[in-house]
PDB file of all heavy atoms in Angstrom:
ATOM      1  N   ALA A1146       0.807  -1.223   0.000  1.00 95.00           N
ATOM      2  CA  ALA A1146       0.000   0.000   0.000  1.00 95.00           C
ATOM      3  C   ALA A1146       0.838   1.271   0.000  1.00 95.00           C
ATOM      4  O   ALA A1146       0.414   2.290  -0.555  1.00 95.00           O
ATOM      5  CB  ALA A1146      -0.932   0.008   1.207  1.00 95.00           C
ATOM      6  N   HIS A1147       2.018   1.233   0.627  1.00 95.00           N
ATOM      7  CA  HIS A1147       2.737   2.477   0.876  1.00 95.00           C
ATOM      8  C   HIS A1147       4.111   2.609   0.208  1.00 95.00           C
ATOM      9  O   HIS A1147       4.564   3.726  -0.031  1.00 95.00           O
ATOM     10  CB  HIS A1147       2.933   2.676   2.384  1.00 95.00           C
ATOM     11  CG  HIS A1147       1.654   2.774   3.151  1.00 95.00           C
ATOM     12  ND1 HIS A1147       0.841   3.884   3.103  1.00 95.00           N
ATOM     13  CD2 HIS A1147       1.047   1.899   3.976  1.00 95.00           C
ATOM     14  CE1 HIS A1147      -0.205   3.688   3.880  1.00 95.00           C
ATOM     15  NE2 HIS A1147      -0.118   2.496   4.410  1.00 95.00           N
ATOM     16  N   ALA A1148       4.782   1.511  -0.047  1.00 96.00           N
ATOM     17  CA  ALA A1148       6.201   1.578  -0.433  1.00 96.00           C
ATOM     18  C   ALA A1148       6.406   1.585  -1.948  1.00 96.00           C
ATOM     19  O   ALA A1148       5.503   1.281  -2.728  1.00 96.00           O
ATOM     20  CB  ALA A1148       6.963   0.414   0.176  1.00 96.00           C
ATOM     21  N   HIS A1149       7.645   1.908  -2.332  1.00 95.00           N
ATOM     22  CA  HIS A1149       8.067   1.858  -3.737  1.00 95.00           C
ATOM     23  C   HIS A1149       8.649   0.497  -4.076  1.00 95.00           C
ATOM     24  O   HIS A1149       8.638   0.080  -5.225  1.00 95.00           O
ATOM     25  CB  HIS A1149       9.105   2.944  -4.026  1.00 95.00           C
ATOM     26  CG  HIS A1149       8.671   4.306  -3.590  1.00 95.00           C
ATOM     27  ND1 HIS A1149       7.497   4.901  -4.016  1.00 95.00           N
ATOM     28  CD2 HIS A1149       9.243   5.177  -2.740  1.00 95.00           C
ATOM     29  CE1 HIS A1149       7.378   6.088  -3.447  1.00 95.00           C
ATOM     30  NE2 HIS A1149       8.422   6.283  -2.676  1.00 95.00           N
ATOM     31  N   LYS A1150       9.213  -0.175  -3.095  1.00 95.00           N
ATOM     32  CA  LYS A1150       9.693  -1.555  -3.232  1.00 95.00           C
ATOM     33  C   LYS A1150       9.908  -2.122  -1.845  1.00 95.00           C
ATOM     34  O   LYS A1150      10.043  -1.374  -0.882  1.00 95.00           O
ATOM     35  CB  LYS A1150      10.964  -1.636  -4.077  1.00 95.00           C
ATOM     36  CG  LYS A1150      12.192  -0.990  -3.468  1.00 95.00           C
ATOM     37  CD  LYS A1150      13.359  -0.932  -4.441  1.00 95.00           C
ATOM     38  CE  LYS A1150      14.296  -2.098  -4.253  1.00 95.00           C
ATOM     39  NZ  LYS A1150      15.534  -1.976  -5.022  1.00 95.00           N
ATOM     40  N   GLY A1151       9.929  -3.444  -1.755  1.00 98.00           N
ATOM     41  CA  GLY A1151      10.101  -4.045  -0.448  1.00 98.00           C
ATOM     42  C   GLY A1151      10.566  -5.477  -0.510  1.00 98.00           C
ATOM     43  O   GLY A1151      10.375  -6.166  -1.513  1.00 98.00           O
ATOM     44  N   MET A1152      11.174  -5.900   0.592  1.00 98.00           N
ATOM     45  CA  MET A1152      11.650  -7.288   0.742  1.00 98.00           C
ATOM     46  C   MET A1152      11.211  -7.821   2.102  1.00 98.00           C
ATOM     47  O   MET A1152      11.149  -7.072   3.082  1.00 98.00           O
ATOM     48  CB  MET A1152      13.177  -7.358   0.658  1.00 98.00           C
ATOM     49  CG  MET A1152      13.745  -7.135  -0.733  1.00 98.00           C
ATOM     50  SD  MET A1152      13.322  -8.424  -1.942  1.00 98.00           S
ATOM     51  CE  MET A1152      14.102  -9.872  -1.229  1.00 98.00           C
ATOM     52  N   ILE A1153      10.966  -9.127   2.129  1.00 98.00           N
ATOM     53  CA  ILE A1153      10.627  -9.818   3.369  1.00 98.00           C
ATOM     54  C   ILE A1153      11.642 -10.937   3.552  1.00 98.00           C
ATOM     55  O   ILE A1153      11.882 -11.718   2.636  1.00 98.00           O
ATOM     56  CB  ILE A1153       9.206 -10.412   3.323  1.00 98.00           C
ATOM     57  CG1 ILE A1153       8.167  -9.306   3.128  1.00 98.00           C
ATOM     58  CG2 ILE A1153       8.920 -11.222   4.590  1.00 98.00           C
ATOM     59  CD1 ILE A1153       6.767  -9.811   2.867  1.00 98.00           C
ATOM     60  N   TYR A1154      12.223 -10.995   4.746  1.00 98.00           N
ATOM     61  CA  TYR A1154      13.193 -12.030   5.099  1.00 98.00           C
ATOM     62  C   TYR A1154      12.630 -12.817   6.274  1.00 98.00           C
ATOM     63  O   TYR A1154      12.286 -12.236   7.301  1.00 98.00           O
ATOM     64  CB  TYR A1154      14.535 -11.405   5.478  1.00 98.00           C
ATOM     65  CG  TYR A1154      15.090 -10.489   4.408  1.00 98.00           C
ATOM     66  CD1 TYR A1154      14.852  -9.119   4.436  1.00 98.00           C
ATOM     67  CD2 TYR A1154      15.825 -11.005   3.339  1.00 98.00           C
ATOM     68  CE1 TYR A1154      15.333  -8.277   3.439  1.00 98.00           C
ATOM     69  CE2 TYR A1154      16.313 -10.171   2.344  1.00 98.00           C
ATOM     70  CZ  TYR A1154      16.066  -8.809   2.401  1.00 98.00           C
ATOM     71  OH  TYR A1154      16.540  -7.973   1.414  1.00 98.00           O
ATOM     72  N   VAL A1155      12.528 -14.134   6.109  1.00 98.00           N
ATOM     73  CA  VAL A1155      11.931 -14.992   7.127  1.00 98.00           C
ATOM     74  C   VAL A1155      12.954 -16.034   7.551  1.00 98.00           C
ATOM     75  O   VAL A1155      13.562 -16.697   6.700  1.00 98.00           O
ATOM     76  CB  VAL A1155      10.670 -15.699   6.573  1.00 98.00           C
ATOM     77  CG1 VAL A1155      10.076 -16.631   7.622  1.00 98.00           C
ATOM     78  CG2 VAL A1155       9.645 -14.686   6.091  1.00 98.00           C
ATOM     79  N   THR A1156      13.127 -16.169   8.854  1.00 98.00           N
ATOM     80  CA  THR A1156      13.986 -17.213   9.408  1.00 98.00           C
ATOM     81  C   THR A1156      13.161 -18.028  10.392  1.00 98.00           C
ATOM     82  O   THR A1156      12.589 -17.474  11.341  1.00 98.00           O
ATOM     83  CB  THR A1156      15.210 -16.614  10.133  1.00 98.00           C
ATOM     84  OG1 THR A1156      15.925 -15.790   9.211  1.00 98.00           O
ATOM     85  CG2 THR A1156      16.126 -17.715  10.657  1.00 98.00           C
ATOM     86  N   ILE A1157      13.104 -19.335  10.165  1.00 98.00           N
ATOM     87  CA  ILE A1157      12.381 -20.244  11.052  1.00 98.00           C
ATOM     88  C   ILE A1157      13.412 -21.077  11.805  1.00 98.00           C
ATOM     89  O   ILE A1157      14.183 -21.824  11.195  1.00 98.00           O
ATOM     90  CB  ILE A1157      11.416 -21.156  10.271  1.00 98.00           C
ATOM     91  CG1 ILE A1157      10.423 -20.318   9.460  1.00 98.00           C
ATOM     92  CG2 ILE A1157      10.682 -22.095  11.230  1.00 98.00           C
ATOM     93  CD1 ILE A1157       9.552 -21.113   8.503  1.00 98.00           C
ATOM     94  N   ASP A1158      13.412 -20.912  13.124  1.00 97.00           N
ATOM     95  CA  ASP A1158      14.276 -21.697  14.003  1.00 97.00           C
ATOM     96  C   ASP A1158      13.417 -22.725  14.737  1.00 97.00           C
ATOM     97  O   ASP A1158      12.201 -22.776  14.556  1.00 97.00           O
ATOM     98  CB  ASP A1158      14.976 -20.789  15.024  1.00 97.00           C
ATOM     99  CG  ASP A1158      16.031 -19.899  14.386  1.00 97.00           C
ATOM    100  OD1 ASP A1158      16.880 -20.428  13.651  1.00 97.00           O
ATOM    101  OD2 ASP A1158      16.006 -18.678  14.633  1.00 97.00           O
ATOM    102  N   ASN A1159      14.054 -23.499  15.610  1.00 94.00           N
ATOM    103  CA  ASN A1159      13.327 -24.524  16.363  1.00 94.00           C
ATOM    104  C   ASN A1159      12.298 -23.940  17.324  1.00 94.00           C
ATOM    105  O   ASN A1159      11.319 -24.605  17.652  1.00 94.00           O
ATOM    106  CB  ASN A1159      14.304 -25.403  17.154  1.00 94.00           C
ATOM    107  CG  ASN A1159      15.152 -26.259  16.240  1.00 94.00           C
ATOM    108  OD1 ASN A1159      14.742 -26.597  15.135  1.00 94.00           O
ATOM    109  ND2 ASN A1159      16.345 -26.598  16.698  1.00 94.00           N
ATOM    110  N   ASP A1160      12.545 -22.717  17.807  1.00 96.00           N
ATOM    111  CA  ASP A1160      11.687 -22.159  18.846  1.00 96.00           C
ATOM    112  C   ASP A1160      11.061 -20.813  18.510  1.00 96.00           C
ATOM    113  O   ASP A1160      10.355 -20.228  19.328  1.00 96.00           O
ATOM    114  CB  ASP A1160      12.469 -22.038  20.150  1.00 96.00           C
ATOM    115  CG  ASP A1160      13.684 -21.119  20.018  1.00 96.00           C
ATOM    116  OD1 ASP A1160      14.077 -20.786  18.885  1.00 96.00           O
ATOM    117  OD2 ASP A1160      14.237 -20.739  21.070  1.00 96.00           O
ATOM    118  N   LYS A1161      11.322 -20.305  17.300  1.00 98.00           N
ATOM    119  CA  LYS A1161      10.770 -18.995  16.935  1.00 98.00           C
ATOM    120  C   LYS A1161      10.856 -18.770  15.432  1.00 98.00           C
ATOM    121  O   LYS A1161      11.592 -19.448  14.728  1.00 98.00           O
ATOM    122  CB  LYS A1161      11.516 -17.873  17.657  1.00 98.00           C
ATOM    123  CG  LYS A1161      12.950 -17.701  17.187  1.00 98.00           C
ATOM    124  CD  LYS A1161      13.659 -16.609  17.973  1.00 98.00           C
ATOM    125  CE  LYS A1161      15.111 -16.551  17.523  1.00 98.00           C
ATOM    126  NZ  LYS A1161      15.916 -15.680  18.355  1.00 98.00           N
ATOM    127  N   ILE A1162      10.087 -17.783  14.998  1.00 98.00           N
ATOM    128  CA  ILE A1162      10.178 -17.304  13.623  1.00 98.00           C
ATOM    129  C   ILE A1162      10.520 -15.822  13.707  1.00 98.00           C
ATOM    130  O   ILE A1162       9.933 -15.076  14.489  1.00 98.00           O
ATOM    131  CB  ILE A1162       8.881 -17.556  12.826  1.00 98.00           C
ATOM    132  CG1 ILE A1162       9.031 -17.083  11.378  1.00 98.00           C
ATOM    133  CG2 ILE A1162       7.682 -16.931  13.493  1.00 98.00           C
ATOM    134  CD1 ILE A1162       7.928 -17.569  10.451  1.00 98.00           C
ATOM    135  N   THR A1163      11.499 -15.427  12.919  1.00 98.00           N
ATOM    136  CA  THR A1163      11.931 -14.035  12.869  1.00 98.00           C
ATOM    137  C   THR A1163      11.662 -13.524  11.466  1.00 98.00           C
ATOM    138  O   THR A1163      12.028 -14.157  10.479  1.00 98.00           O
ATOM    139  CB  THR A1163      13.438 -13.912  13.188  1.00 98.00           C
ATOM    140  OG1 THR A1163      13.688 -14.534  14.457  1.00 98.00           O
ATOM    141  CG2 THR A1163      13.872 -12.465  13.227  1.00 98.00           C
ATOM    142  N   ILE A1164      11.000 -12.368  11.393  1.00 98.00           N
ATOM    143  CA  ILE A1164      10.638 -11.788  10.111  1.00 98.00           C
ATOM    144  C   ILE A1164      11.148 -10.352  10.076  1.00 98.00           C
ATOM    145  O   ILE A1164      10.929  -9.582  11.016  1.00 98.00           O
ATOM    146  CB  ILE A1164       9.114 -11.803   9.902  1.00 98.00           C
ATOM    147  CG1 ILE A1164       8.573 -13.229  10.037  1.00 98.00           C
ATOM    148  CG2 ILE A1164       8.751 -11.192   8.547  1.00 98.00           C
ATOM    149  CD1 ILE A1164       7.069 -13.319  10.148  1.00 98.00           C
ATOM    150  N   LYS A1165      11.826 -10.013   8.998  1.00 98.00           N
ATOM    151  CA  LYS A1165      12.299  -8.649   8.798  1.00 98.00           C
ATOM    152  C   LYS A1165      11.741  -8.164   7.472  1.00 98.00           C
ATOM    153  O   LYS A1165      11.909  -8.822   6.444  1.00 98.00           O
ATOM    154  CB  LYS A1165      13.827  -8.605   8.788  1.00 98.00           C
ATOM    155  CG  LYS A1165      14.393  -7.203   8.705  1.00 98.00           C
ATOM    156  CD  LYS A1165      15.908  -7.254   8.826  1.00 98.00           C
ATOM    157  CE  LYS A1165      16.513  -5.880   8.895  1.00 98.00           C
ATOM    158  NZ  LYS A1165      17.974  -5.951   9.064  1.00 98.00           N
ATOM    159  N   LEU A1166      11.054  -7.047   7.512  1.00 98.00           N
ATOM    160  CA  LEU A1166      10.486  -6.442   6.313  1.00 98.00           C
ATOM    161  C   LEU A1166      11.168  -5.105   6.108  1.00 98.00           C
ATOM    162  O   LEU A1166      11.228  -4.285   7.026  1.00 98.00           O
ATOM    163  CB  LEU A1166       8.980  -6.235   6.469  1.00 98.00           C
ATOM    164  CG  LEU A1166       8.175  -7.508   6.771  1.00 98.00           C
ATOM    165  CD1 LEU A1166       7.881  -7.621   8.240  1.00 98.00           C
ATOM    166  CD2 LEU A1166       6.916  -7.546   5.952  1.00 98.00           C
ATOM    167  N   GLU A1167      11.708  -4.907   4.922  1.00 98.00           N
ATOM    168  CA  GLU A1167      12.391  -3.657   4.598  1.00 98.00           C
ATOM    169  C   GLU A1167      11.739  -3.072   3.365  1.00 98.00           C
ATOM    170  O   GLU A1167      11.517  -3.774   2.384  1.00 98.00           O
ATOM    171  CB  GLU A1167      13.873  -3.901   4.312  1.00 98.00           C
ATOM    172  CG  GLU A1167      14.642  -4.448   5.495  1.00 98.00           C
ATOM    173  CD  GLU A1167      16.095  -4.738   5.151  1.00 98.00           C
ATOM    174  OE1 GLU A1167      16.407  -5.000   3.971  1.00 98.00           O
ATOM    175  OE2 GLU A1167      16.918  -4.710   6.081  1.00 98.00           O
ATOM    176  N   ASP A1168      11.449  -1.775   3.428  1.00 98.00           N
ATOM    177  CA  ASP A1168      10.897  -1.140   2.234  1.00 98.00           C
ATOM    178  C   ASP A1168      11.557   0.195   1.979  1.00 98.00           C
ATOM    179  O   ASP A1168      12.154   0.790   2.870  1.00 98.00           O
ATOM    180  CB  ASP A1168       9.373  -1.000   2.331  1.00 98.00           C
ATOM    181  CG  ASP A1168       8.894   0.084   3.290  1.00 98.00           C
ATOM    182  OD1 ASP A1168       9.400   1.223   3.231  1.00 98.00           O
ATOM    183  OD2 ASP A1168       7.994  -0.199   4.089  1.00 98.00           O
ATOM    184  N   GLU A1169      11.469   0.593   0.731  1.00 98.00           N
ATOM    185  CA  GLU A1169      11.853   1.937   0.325  1.00 98.00           C
ATOM    186  C   GLU A1169      10.556   2.656   0.029  1.00 98.00           C
ATOM    187  O   GLU A1169       9.761   2.192  -0.792  1.00 98.00           O
ATOM    188  CB  GLU A1169      12.739   1.897  -0.912  1.00 98.00           C
ATOM    189  CG  GLU A1169      14.087   1.269  -0.666  1.00 98.00           C
ATOM    190  CD  GLU A1169      14.930   1.174  -1.931  1.00 98.00           C
ATOM    191  OE1 GLU A1169      14.602   1.853  -2.932  1.00 98.00           O
ATOM    192  OE2 GLU A1169      15.902   0.409  -1.924  1.00 98.00           O
ATOM    193  N   GLY A1170      10.332   3.753   0.729  1.00 96.00           N
ATOM    194  CA  GLY A1170       9.080   4.458   0.554  1.00 96.00           C
ATOM    195  C   GLY A1170       9.039   5.735   1.348  1.00 96.00           C
ATOM    196  O   GLY A1170      10.088   6.273   1.724  1.00 96.00           O
ATOM    197  N   PRO A1171       7.827   6.198   1.649  1.00 96.00           N
ATOM    198  CA  PRO A1171       7.677   7.491   2.308  1.00 96.00           C
ATOM    199  C   PRO A1171       8.114   7.497   3.762  1.00 96.00           C
ATOM    200  O   PRO A1171       8.364   8.559   4.326  1.00 96.00           O
ATOM    201  CB  PRO A1171       6.177   7.776   2.187  1.00 96.00           C
ATOM    202  CG  PRO A1171       5.552   6.418   2.094  1.00 96.00           C
ATOM    203  CD  PRO A1171       6.547   5.582   1.330  1.00 96.00           C
ATOM    204  N   GLY A1172       8.210   6.333   4.370  1.00 96.00           N
ATOM    205  CA  GLY A1172       8.534   6.273   5.786  1.00 96.00           C
ATOM    206  C   GLY A1172       7.340   6.637   6.651  1.00 96.00           C
ATOM    207  O   GLY A1172       6.288   7.017   6.152  1.00 96.00           O
ATOM    208  N   ILE A1173       7.524   6.501   7.951  1.00 96.00           N
ATOM    209  CA  ILE A1173       6.459   6.787   8.914  1.00 96.00           C
ATOM    210  C   ILE A1173       6.915   7.966   9.764  1.00 96.00           C
ATOM    211  O   ILE A1173       7.854   7.833  10.558  1.00 96.00           O
ATOM    212  CB  ILE A1173       6.185   5.558   9.820  1.00 96.00           C
ATOM    213  CG1 ILE A1173       5.838   4.329   8.974  1.00 96.00           C
ATOM    214  CG2 ILE A1173       5.074   5.870  10.818  1.00 96.00           C
ATOM    215  CD1 ILE A1173       5.785   3.021   9.754  1.00 96.00           C
ATOM    216  N   PRO A1174       6.257   9.123   9.634  1.00 95.00           N
ATOM    217  CA  PRO A1174       6.692  10.312  10.382  1.00 95.00           C
ATOM    218  C   PRO A1174       6.562  10.163  11.895  1.00 95.00           C
ATOM    219  O   PRO A1174       7.396  10.664  12.644  1.00 95.00           O
ATOM    220  CB  PRO A1174       5.766  11.420   9.876  1.00 95.00           C
ATOM    221  CG  PRO A1174       5.156  10.914   8.627  1.00 95.00           C
ATOM    222  CD  PRO A1174       5.181   9.424   8.700  1.00 95.00           C
ATOM    223  N   ASP A1175       5.503   9.480  12.357  1.00 96.00           N
ATOM    224  CA  ASP A1175       5.247   9.352  13.787  1.00 96.00           C
ATOM    225  C   ASP A1175       4.840   7.910  14.081  1.00 96.00           C
ATOM    226  O   ASP A1175       3.667   7.552  13.932  1.00 96.00           O
ATOM    227  CB  ASP A1175       4.149  10.340  14.203  1.00 96.00           C
ATOM    228  CG  ASP A1175       3.906  10.379  15.701  1.00 96.00           C
ATOM    229  OD1 ASP A1175       4.216   9.397  16.400  1.00 96.00           O
ATOM    230  OD2 ASP A1175       3.396  11.416  16.165  1.00 96.00           O
ATOM    231  N   ILE A1176       5.800   7.093  14.495  1.00 96.00           N
ATOM    232  CA  ILE A1176       5.536   5.664  14.709  1.00 96.00           C
ATOM    233  C   ILE A1176       4.513   5.457  15.822  1.00 96.00           C
ATOM    234  O   ILE A1176       3.628   4.614  15.703  1.00 96.00           O
ATOM    235  CB  ILE A1176       6.847   4.897  14.978  1.00 96.00           C
ATOM    236  CG1 ILE A1176       7.709   4.908  13.705  1.00 96.00           C
ATOM    237  CG2 ILE A1176       6.560   3.464  15.422  1.00 96.00           C
ATOM    238  CD1 ILE A1176       9.109   4.371  13.874  1.00 96.00           C
ATOM    239  N   ASP A1177       4.599   6.232  16.902  1.00 96.00           N
ATOM    240  CA  ASP A1177       3.629   6.084  17.988  1.00 96.00           C
ATOM    241  C   ASP A1177       2.206   6.335  17.488  1.00 96.00           C
ATOM    242  O   ASP A1177       1.280   5.596  17.834  1.00 96.00           O
ATOM    243  CB  ASP A1177       3.949   7.039  19.146  1.00 96.00           C
ATOM    244  CG  ASP A1177       5.201   6.623  19.900  1.00 96.00           C
ATOM    245  OD1 ASP A1177       5.565   5.425  19.868  1.00 96.00           O
ATOM    246  OD2 ASP A1177       5.828   7.497  20.532  1.00 96.00           O
ATOM    247  N   LEU A1178       2.028   7.357  16.683  1.00 95.00           N
ATOM    248  CA  LEU A1178       0.713   7.648  16.118  1.00 95.00           C
ATOM    249  C   LEU A1178       0.276   6.531  15.178  1.00 95.00           C
ATOM    250  O   LEU A1178      -0.885   6.104  15.196  1.00 95.00           O
ATOM    251  CB  LEU A1178       0.739   8.987  15.376  1.00 95.00           C
ATOM    252  CG  LEU A1178      -0.583   9.477  14.784  1.00 95.00           C
ATOM    253  CD1 LEU A1178      -1.657   9.623  15.863  1.00 95.00           C
ATOM    254  CD2 LEU A1178      -0.367  10.801  14.059  1.00 95.00           C
ATOM    255  N   ALA A1179       1.205   6.023  14.385  1.00 95.00           N
ATOM    256  CA  ALA A1179       0.884   4.935  13.447  1.00 95.00           C
ATOM    257  C   ALA A1179       0.484   3.653  14.179  1.00 95.00           C
ATOM    258  O   ALA A1179      -0.222   2.822  13.612  1.00 95.00           O
ATOM    259  CB  ALA A1179       2.068   4.668  12.530  1.00 95.00           C
TER     260      ALA A1179
END
């Protein structure tokens, strides 16, 4: 909805899943408000 491009990186371990999403876009001016 918001970015110009993006990537998702998923790592599944024995006890957790870690997900990192990176995008190039407008950014979020106020994270607390968002």
Side-chain angles (χ1 to χ4, degrees):
H1147 299 287
H1149 308 304
K1150 67 188 264 189
M1152 288 294 297
I1153 299 171
Y1154 305 94
V1155 178
T1156 303
I1157 303 172
D1158 290 309
N1159 292 333
D1160 61 346
K1161 68 182 176 189
I1162 182 167
T1163 305
I1164 304 167
K1165 185 175 186 178
L1166 302 99
E1167 297 177 334
D1168 74 48
E1169 293 177 16
I1173 303 170
D1175 186 336
I1176 293 171
D1177 289 336
L1178 183 58

